[in-house]
Amino acid sequence: MTDPTAALSFGVAAAEYDRFRPRYPESALRWALDGRPAPARVVDLGAGTGILTRGVAALGHHVVPVEPDPGMRAQLAAATPGTTALAGSAESVPLPDGDADAVLVGQAYHWFDRDAAHAEVARVLRPGGTFAPVWNVRDERVDWVAELTRIAHLDHNAGDVVERYADFGTAFTPVEVGEFGHATTLTPDELVAMLHTRSYWLTATPAERARVDTGLTELFATHPELAGRAAVELPYRTIVLRARRR
């Protein structure tokens, strides 16, 4: 089981989360949807502030966001005109049986009670429907990004995602793995603000927050790829795990 305090820690930073967290490459979303033509009915489970919702909607699909945190739902509504997230969780989805062509999860699957969530996703999906959790993970093959991960106590590198989560149970076909590279450009201040939306920092003590921020300041001032730069490109590997409901 995951830590429920950490899982529901993001609402207090919802606006910053929505502003600074990376978007998902269109190629990754199309692959996650298994080539389904628009308009498909897609559930965004653990929708957060609607970053994935907006990306899928831009492809012409009808998206139903489901999110347990009221602060995140409020930010989703503010940032996504005409869309209201349903109050619910991966373990209790407020939708009827066979309602969806696809269920996508952006940056949230690792918080789920997986056995309960798999049962609910299988219930909500039509036979042959697609289930695809998606993660933006930093590309730690880049030296300064690996150091950033160490300082800020970040998690979920690409190998961990595939090794830990690539099995959705007997209701689904074997998991396929897709990987898509991209980057986001941030100033040092924006990068720090983005890291302040991570669960580790949100639940840390004041002393630990100060330690992280001091380490980041030193990294930006001393690393040869960062020192003196007005903005940096933070590289990501978007990992998609995809299966169909049997």
Side-chain angles (χ1 to χ4, degrees), residues 138-151:
R138 298 156 310 284
D139 191 344
E140 294 173 359
R141 296 171 297 189
V142 177
D143 177 70
W144 73 264
V145 178
E147 183 64 7
L148 183 80
T149 294
R150 183 192 67 78
I151 293 167

Side-chain angles (χ1 to χ4, degrees), residues 48-60:
T49 64
I51 294 172
L52 183 81
T53 290
R54 294 190 293 275
V56 174
L59 300 179

Side-chain angles (χ1 to χ4, degrees), residues 139-215:
D139 191 344
E140 294 173 359
R141 296 171 297 189
V142 177
D143 177 70
W144 73 264
V145 178
E147 183 64 7
L148 183 80
T149 294
R150 183 192 67 78
I151 293 167
H153 290 267
L154 303 176
D155 53 11
H156 295 113
N157 65 47
D160 285 345
V161 165
V162 175
E163 182 177 344
R164 293 170 64 183
Y165 303 127
D167 181 2
F168 301 155
T170 58
F172 297 91
T173 59
V175 170
E176 300 172 272
V177 180
E179 180 175 332
F180 306 82
H182 67 116
T184 184
T185 301
L186 299 165
T187 68
D189 286 346
E190 288 171 339
L191 183 49
V192 170
M194 186 272 286
L195 294 172
H196 286 182
T197 71
R198 306 290 304 193
S199 61
Y200 179 85
W201 197 89
L202 291 169
T203 58
T205 65
E208 182 59 17
R209 288 183 176 189
R211 189 203 64 77
V212 169
D213 284 351
T214 297

Side-chain angles (χ1 to χ4, degrees), residues 71-135:
M72 300 295 261
R73 291 199 304 272
Q75 179 61 38
L76 186 151
T80 318
T83 302
T84 300
L86 302 179
S89 68
E91 300 80 17
S92 181
V93 181
L95 293 169
D97 295 359
D99 188 62
D101 298 303
V103 174
L104 268 56
V105 184
Q107 222 71 23
Y109 177 78
H110 48 280
W111 298 116
F112 296 173
D113 177 334
R114 284 191 284 161
D115 288 342
H118 293 159
E120 273 292 85
V121 171
R123 180 186 66 77
V124 168
L125 276 174
R126 300 178 182 125
T130 303
F131 178 40
V134 185
W135 287 265

Side-chain angles (χ1 to χ4, degrees), residues 9-33:
S9 64
F10 301 104
V12 296
E16 292 81 6
Y17 187 109
D18 194 61
R19 178 181 175 188
F20 295 120
R21 287 294 185 103
R23 276 44 185 166
Y24 300 95
E26 180 180 319
S27 56
L29 297 181
R30 290 190 182 279
W31 193 86
L33 290 166

